[in-house]
Amino acid sequence: MPAMTMVQSLNAAIDEALAGNDKVVAFGEDVGYFGGVFGVTRGLQEKYGLDRVFDAPINEAAIVAMGMGMAVNGLRPIAEIQFADYIFPGFDQVVSELSRIRYRSAGQYTAPLVIRTPCGGGIYGGQTHSMSPEAFFTHIPGVKVAMPSNPYDAKGMLLAAVEDDDPVIFFEPKRLYNGPFDGDPHKPATSWARHPRGEVPEGAYTVPLGVGEIVRPGSEVTVVAYGTMVHVANYAAEKTGVDAEVIDLRTLVPWDVDMVTASVKKTGRCVVLHEAPRTSGFGAELAAQIQEDCFYSLEAPVLRVTGWDTPYPHAHEWSYFPGPDRVGRALKQVMEG
Amino acid sequence: MTLVTGTAFHVPAPGRRPGDTPDFSKIEVPRAGETRKPAVDAPAGEVTDLAYGLVRVLDHNHQAVGPWDPQLSDQELINGLKTMVLTREFDDRMLKMQRTKRLSFYMKSLGEEAVAVAAAAALNDDDMLFPSYRQQGALIARGKDLGEMMCHCISNARDNLKGRQLPIHYASAEHNWFSVSGNLCTQFPQAVGWALASSYKRSNRIASSWIGEGSSAEGDFHAAMTLASVYKAPVVLNLVNNQWAISMFQGLSGGESATFAAKAIGYGVPGLRVDGNDFLAVYAATRWAADRARRKIGPTLLEIYTYRGEAHSTSDDPSRYRPKDEWRSWPLGDPIERLKNHLIGHGAWSADEHETWRAQCEERVATTWKESIGHGTLEEGPHAPTHTMFEDVYAEQPWHLRRQRQDLGV
């Protein structure tokens, strides 16, 4: 199997989708001729033509609404929002329209639109290029929300999203685009070629939405993470020596409650992680559901390690980012509980 | 700081308020037939004058005149007239039922019947409509069963939307009628996307959408116009200027500084002002725009110039912000009276036939209403089974909704 970066595997997924189904189109700002600011759609317009991979005006409401209209008319569009931070002009179209069309038309109309968008920090992107706004979307009935953490999953999950009959908000942690990142900015960058999940099969395959993965089996504490934080969790477990079971949630809506609760009932301890701010973050939902389902198995309170409730700062990026030291402290704290 | 005397900045206000005599003397109404009709493939830059004209066919003697006369047969016109009358009778009945609390809410289309009915007549039945909440006439024109419409409005067991939507927010795939949202202008850019997918599929079907002049202030208007312009989408975009957005007159939406049709000029899209109370004018302009769309020449913005004859909705009270019966003074008249008089004028229709048809419609909606409440009422039901409220959120019910349904015990 070839080693791929996440950019390459996402590109391969869109390539497979376009090749396999003539109802698939891809568009967004800079997506066409240029191939996207991160290169995820590079070469695809040349390969599939102007009406299948094309540039869109800088208007996220227009991009979402156009994709929704196309999806209602039988296409399988893949829209790119250039940065997750830019999605909010299109938020009303997601909240009030895209997510509800199946419901409010009682199934007469559906809009299987995939919205891809790079999220997360660790790239010195400042407040407007670093957000992880997934919790805004997990709060919307009617959309699925996914976030892969590696090239293999990225390809398989994106292909699953395109096949899915519901709209999917597909977050791509941009810090992982070109290599895994364990949260220590001082270590030299590593490559996906040296990571087992950097091996990506050729051809189409899917990684089902709604199914998590235990990426590090362990017995002492369950760590629930997604996106970049999966790698931080692994590193923190390694550094602290705590025998953590790390679950990569992969899909946030619907999330794999069976996998998580089975693990927490086994370990009796749980830490949930995300890069987004703490208050009303998705970790709050996870912690609440976990204590409801696992209360009598818990040896310690469920802890959260998250970004702070501030905008994402530029100079203080590494004080904001919930890195391995903070995660490690939480692992020790929960073990003392 | 120096205090400014008087109003610090311009806040548009209508000339007349409650208690005043209606005055539309500032509205310039060009003579019927005066506004030219360009070739269907005329470039947008060569039709900018139409954004300040007014497409009119029926003159003050109720004769069809000028280049926009669509030359419809008497039968086609009678069909249009009958549908408008039926729509008005339907609206009247629904309003009365709302006043007796049988409906939670209603919105009439009084005075705007031609806006929807003439457009539906000018479009193909398989063209996709993305309406707002005051185009029920187009759904009736497409043959939607009145009983089904009523069952939706009272959310009973036969409501095809399972009690999920406010009255009037119809969705009917069978009639190529999109789901009415209630959020303003959101459907405008969706219609453009739908139309582009139609082009992509090499289909001959086009899309048409309606918003009000008030919601043209939304960002989604700019989104739709930009998309339509950039990709030359096969879409007919209607901006219904009925003068009032609940209590705000059209000046609050930019109407003091330019016509709404003129917004199209900056996008390089033809913008036409059309007499919305003239069935023939709405038909002709819609057909012109639909031909442009179907021939892949591009989109059109039609400002349908009309007047909202009734309250915005049953939750509104226009006597608090505009002169009573202002509609009666509207210089473009009543669309039903104008088409009726036109047909009577050349012997194709009579006052007696008209009254007979109106009475038949009144009786039909009354009978249909009785049948509809036989399938359940809003207050007493039966409604769709309660467990259906957890369905259609997703294609398949995920675990959290299954648990929530179990929590509710249904």
Side-chain angles (χ1 to χ4, degrees):
Chain A
M1 285 192 286
M4 286 189 187
T5 66
M6 198 187 284
V7 169
Q8 290 167 328
S9 80
L10 288 163
N11 179 277
I14 300 168
D15 195 343
E16 289 291 341
L18 287 160
N21 184 350
D22 62 10
K23 301 257 187 327
V24 173
V25 293
F27 53 84
E29 295 154 19
D30 300 298
V31 158
Y33 185 83
F34 182 51
V37 293
F38 292 101
V40 172
T41 53
R42 194 154 294 163
L44 297 177
Q45 184 180 76
E46 196 178 17
K47 189 168 174 182
Y48 293 99
L50 277 170
D51 58 358
R52 297 200 69 196
V53 181
F54 53 92
D55 290 317
I58 303 172
N59 184 320
E60 291 76 17
I63 290 170
V64 176
M66 174 166 67
M68 174 174 166
M70 288 178 155
V72 165
N73 199 356
L75 302 192
R76 290 274 168 167
I78 306 171
E80 177 179 303
I81 300 296
Q82 194 163 81
F83 286 85
D85 316 63
Y86 299 172
I87 205 165
F88 296 100
F91 197 51
D92 181 47
Q93 284 285 344
V94 177
V95 175
S96 312
E97 299 289 324
L98 180 69
S99 64
R100 297 186 196 162
I101 189 58
R102 177 190 296 279
Y103 191 77
R104 76 174 202 230
S105 71
Q108 294 178 83
Y109 296 106
T110 59
L113 169 67
V114 177
I115 300 175
R116 296 180 35 247
T117 188
C119 69
I123 61 154
Y124 285 111
Q127 60 177 327
T128 54
H129 301 78
S130 304
M131 273 184 83
S132 294
E134 67 274 8
F136 290 103
F137 295 88
T138 58
H139 197 59
I140 306 169
V143 295
K144 294 184 177 177
V145 180
M147 192 189 297
S149 71
N150 60 70
Y152 176 89
D153 284 351
K155 181 176 174 183
M157 287 169 63
L158 184 53
L159 283 167
V162 174
E163 282 182 8
D164 202 281
D165 289 332
D166 291 309
V168 179
I169 315 296
F170 195 87
F171 288 103
E172 301 168 2
K174 64 178 102 59
R175 186 62 175 80
L176 302 181
Y177 267 157
N178 293 305
F181 176 63
D182 62 17
D184 183 347
H186 305 298
K187 290 205 302 199
T190 57
S191 140
W192 281 115
R194 300 160 59 127
H195 190 283
R197 284 308 179 89
E199 289 185 17
V200 178
E202 290 185 32
Y205 66 93
T206 56
V207 172
L209 301 182
V211 181
E213 188 189 18
I214 298 171
V215 294
R216 184 187 194 283
S219 61
E220 292 183 319
V221 50
T222 300
V223 182
V224 186
Y226 48 85
T228 307
M229 295 310 294
V230 172
H231 303 272
V232 178
N234 284 332
Y235 183 46
E238 188 188 309
K239 278 203 350 174
T240 55
V242 173
D243 187 21
E245 178 147 288
V246 177
I247 294 178
D248 180 355
L249 211 51
R250 302 200 286 199
T251 301
L252 281 63
V253 176
W255 60 282
D256 194 339
V257 68
D258 292 339
M259 177 179 286
V260 171
T261 53
S263 174
V264 175
K265 283 176 182 169
K266 179 182 77 176
T267 61
R269 293 176 168 85
C270 183
V271 178
V272 297
L273 312 180
H274 55 67
E275 213 181 309
R278 168 171 307 216
T279 300
S280 301
F282 193 61
E285 175 61 33
L286 292 169
Q289 191 65 53
I290 289 164
Q291 68 84 20
E292 265 184 48
D293 287 3
C294 308
F295 185 76
Y296 296 105
S297 308
L298 285 171
E299 306 285 342
V302 178
L303 296 185
R304 287 176 287 167
V305 185
T306 68
W308 306 120
D309 288 341
T310 70
Y312 215 115
H314 188 243
H316 299 295
E317 173 147 51
W318 301 113
S319 298
Y320 177 94
F321 187 88
D325 290 345
R326 283 175 55 202
V327 175
R329 279 201 297 278
L331 291 179
K332 288 180 183 160
Q333 186 184 336
V334 80
M335 287 309 298
E336 287 158 11
Chain B
M1 180 179 156
T2 310
L3 288 175
V4 180
T5 54
T7 309
F9 51 86
H10 178 64
V11 180
R16 293 293 184 273
R17 286 298 193 186
D20 295 338
T21 307
D23 176 15
F24 290 116
S25 60
K26 282 187 185 159
I27 291 180
E28 287 176 33
V29 180
R31 280 183 295 111
E34 192 175 275
T35 296
R36 72 189 178 97
K37 184 177 185 181
V40 73
D41 58 354
E46 292 178 13
V47 300
T48 53
D49 55 313
L50 293 182
Y52 290 94
L54 192 65
V55 175
R56 305 183 70 216
V57 175
L58 291 173
D59 69 10
H60 59 286
N61 292 318
H62 310 297
Q63 299 298 306
V65 297
W68 286 93
D69 179 4
Q71 311 279 339
L72 294 175
S73 69
D74 287 344
Q75 195 52 54
E76 287 171 303
L77 292 177
I78 289 169
N79 289 347
L81 179 66
K82 285 179 159 181
T83 306
M84 290 199 291
V85 171
L86 178 58
T87 301
R88 189 169 290 182
E89 291 298 324
F90 182 89
D91 278 350
D92 279 348
R93 182 81 197 175
M94 290 300 100
L95 182 79
K96 283 186 197 127
M97 295 303 96
Q98 197 280 335
R99 292 305 185 215
T100 59
K101 303 194 187 314
R102 313 302 290 275
L103 274 75
S104 58
F105 177 83
Y106 197 70
M107 305 175 95
K108 289 178 74 174
S109 60
L110 180 69
E112 297 179 45
E113 292 89 351
V115 173
V117 175
L123 295 165
N124 293 347
D125 281 348
D126 66 350
D127 290 336
M128 187 71 184
L129 310 185
F130 289 79
S132 75
Y133 42 67
R134 219 180 296 279
Q135 283 78 50
Q136 52 264 49
L139 188 56
I140 292 173
R142 284 197 165 175
K144 176 81 173 172
D145 183 82
L146 298 183
E148 288 179 19
M149 291 173 74
M150 290 175 181
C151 288
H152 156 65
C153 287
I154 53 179
S155 289
N156 70 14
R158 286 215 179 173
D159 174 11
N160 74 327
L161 305 183
K162 302 184 182 175
R164 292 172 184 162
Q165 280 275 56
L166 270 180
I168 325 121
H169 293 59
Y170 307 105
S172 189
E174 181 192 350
H175 298 93
N176 298 301
W177 171 277
F178 193 61
S179 156
V180 178
S181 173
N183 281 48
L184 296 179
C185 203
T186 48
Q187 75 277 19
F188 232 38
Q190 293 162 7
V192 180
W194 191 99
L196 290 170
S198 188
S199 293
Y200 180 85
K201 298 197 284 190
R202 309 298 190 266
S203 163
N204 201 33
R205 298 169 69 193
I206 64 171
S208 188
S209 187
W210 287 261
I211 59 166
E213 89 286 350
S215 53
S216 73
E218 293 281 5
D220 277 347
F221 175 80
H222 177 60
M225 292 302 293
T226 302
L227 290 174
S229 164
V230 166
Y231 300 116
K232 301 201 186 310
V235 65
V236 180
L237 296 170
N238 299 283
L239 188 164
V240 183
N241 178 1
N242 68 6
Q243 314 301 319
W244 292 94
I246 306 186
S247 73
M248 298 193 297
F249 88 117
Q250 47 82 25
L252 262 303
S253 311
E256 279 186 339
S257 307
T259 69
F260 289 92
K263 291 178 187 291
I265 296 172
Y267 296 97
V269 169
L272 277 60
R273 272 172 95 239
V274 183
D275 177 349
N277 292 14
D278 177 343
F279 185 93
L280 295 167
V282 175
Y283 182 98
T286 305
R287 179 51 72 89
W288 186 85
D291 285 349
R292 283 180 71 88
R294 223 175 296 283
R295 289 169 57 180
K296 308 298 182 208
I297 297 162
T300 305
L301 179 71
L302 301 177
E303 177 187 349
I304 312 290
Y305 199 67
T306 183
Y307 186 91
R308 195 191 76 211
E310 263 286 355
H312 166 72
S313 74
T314 49
S315 307
D316 175 33
D317 176 9
S319 73
R320 296 181 60 182
Y321 53 79
R322 69 183 186 188
K324 192 168 185 284
D325 290 336
E326 197 181 46
W327 180 55
R328 301 285 168 201
S329 310
W330 180 242
L332 299 175
D334 174 341
I336 291 180
E337 287 302 306
R338 286 174 70 190
L339 185 56
K340 180 182 91 175
N341 289 330
H342 170 66
L343 282 161
I344 291 173
H346 66 104
W349 191 244
S350 71
D352 283 350
E353 281 175 292
H354 192 85
E355 176 50 26
T356 303
W357 173 254
R358 193 207 58 75
Q360 283 172 358
C361 291
E362 186 180 10
E363 192 186 326
R364 181 175 156 196
V365 294
T367 308
T368 308
W369 171 258
K370 287 193 189 102
E371 288 167 9
S372 299
I373 56 173
H375 302 301
T377 62
L378 177 65
E379 278 195 329
E380 291 167 16
H383 310 292
T386 308
H387 69 84
T388 61
M389 70 181 267
F390 295 99
E391 294 171 0
D392 298 323
V393 182
Y394 297 92
E396 288 172 26
Q397 197 168 64
W399 67 267
H400 59 286
L401 283 173
R402 202 165 49 245
R403 282 195 188 185
Q404 289 166 26
R405 175 171 59 77
Q406 288 159 353
D407 272 0
L408 187 60
V410 293

